[in-house]
Amino acid sequence: PFVPFPSTSLREWNERTRVSQKMIIFAPLWLPTHSMQRLIESILLISLVSISFNACKNEPKIEQEDLLGRWELQEGFRNEQKSEDLAGLFFEFFGDGKMLTNMSGVTAEAQYELKKQTLLQRGGDMDADYQITTLDDSSLVLMTTLREVNFRFVLGKSSQIN
């Protein structure tokens, strides 16, 4: 059981309670372990929730308006190796949820949807999910995995519209 520190001298208290000197020095270690464990768990849980909440707050929200227009490939990477085979790649996004791309080798229309930092391409020649890692007025960086190959597309905003 927990015994509070006495108001008398340590020597008197030690003699009365027959507690070893080592236990007196390390008194916090013999506090009720259940209470200490609950306190530590509570602190860790509050810290984790706080960090998670702040991480989500820092994620910029992507609006459809930010994506509209034609984006042309500036650099393409296949498994983090620069690839010239991707030259000429483009994505064009319209306000009605439709898009044009030549990702499959031919220009095809598809539907798209934004979910947080993910661009979902559905219909057309192929379905694909692209992670949007950068989006500003002039650049768009998309990452995806197709047929177990990782791709990263660095795209620039074009003034050309079809």
Side-chain angles (χ1 to χ4, degrees):
F2 177 73
V3 179
F5 283 105
S7 57
T8 60
S9 73
L10 281 176
R11 173 175 269 179
E12 289 174 359
W13 185 74
N14 190 20
E15 288 172 2
R16 275 193 286 146
T17 58
R18 297 186 181 189
V19 175
S20 75
Q21 191 66 29
K22 288 181 183 175
M23 280 194 79
I24 292 171
I25 293 171
F26 298 104
L29 296 178
W30 53 273
L31 289 174
T33 57
H34 180 67
S35 297
M36 291 292 282
Q37 183 178 0
R38 299 265 317 192
L39 177 66
I40 291 170
E41 288 173 353
S42 297
I43 290 170
L44 288 174
L45 180 63
I46 289 169
S47 298
L48 180 63
V49 168
S50 175
I51 290 169
S52 297
F53 182 71
N54 286 335
C56 291
K57 264 175 68 173
N58 294 336
E59 188 174 279
K61 185 171 183 192
I62 296 175
E63 299 290 338
Q64 183 181 22
E65 295 78 35
D66 300 330
L67 202 58
L68 297 179
R70 184 179 174 97
W71 299 86
E72 296 177 347
L73 187 74
Q74 294 177 339
E75 288 184 300
F77 298 87
R78 180 178 288 144
N79 288 328
E80 288 306 314
Q81 300 294 316
K82 195 168 183 176
S83 175
E84 300 301 324
D85 296 340
L86 299 168
L89 177 68
F90 75 90
F91 293 85
E92 190 167 353
F93 301 98
F94 303 96
D96 60 358
K98 292 183 181 175
M99 66 182 279
L100 289 175
T101 184
N102 59 353
M103 180 65 195
S104 66
V106 296
T107 301
E109 184 178 292
Q111 298 291 320
Y112 75 93
E113 180 182 352
L114 287 171
K115 286 196 176 180
K116 294 188 180 184
Q117 301 291 107
T118 304
L119 169 67
L120 306 172
Q121 175 186 330
R122 299 293 180 257
D125 291 350
M126 59 183 273
D127 291 350
D129 295 350
Y130 304 95
Q131 287 302 116
I132 301 172
T133 60
T134 303
L135 176 59
D136 58 39
D137 293 343
S138 59
S139 64
L140 169 63
V141 179
L142 301 175
M143 295 177 65
T144 190
T145 301
L146 301 169
R147 297 185 188 129
E148 299 182 21
V149 177
N150 297 319
F151 290 94
R152 181 166 49 104
F153 309 122
V154 179
L155 304 152
K157 189 85 176 236
S158 172
S159 57
Q160 174 188 346
I161 298 178
N162 284 345

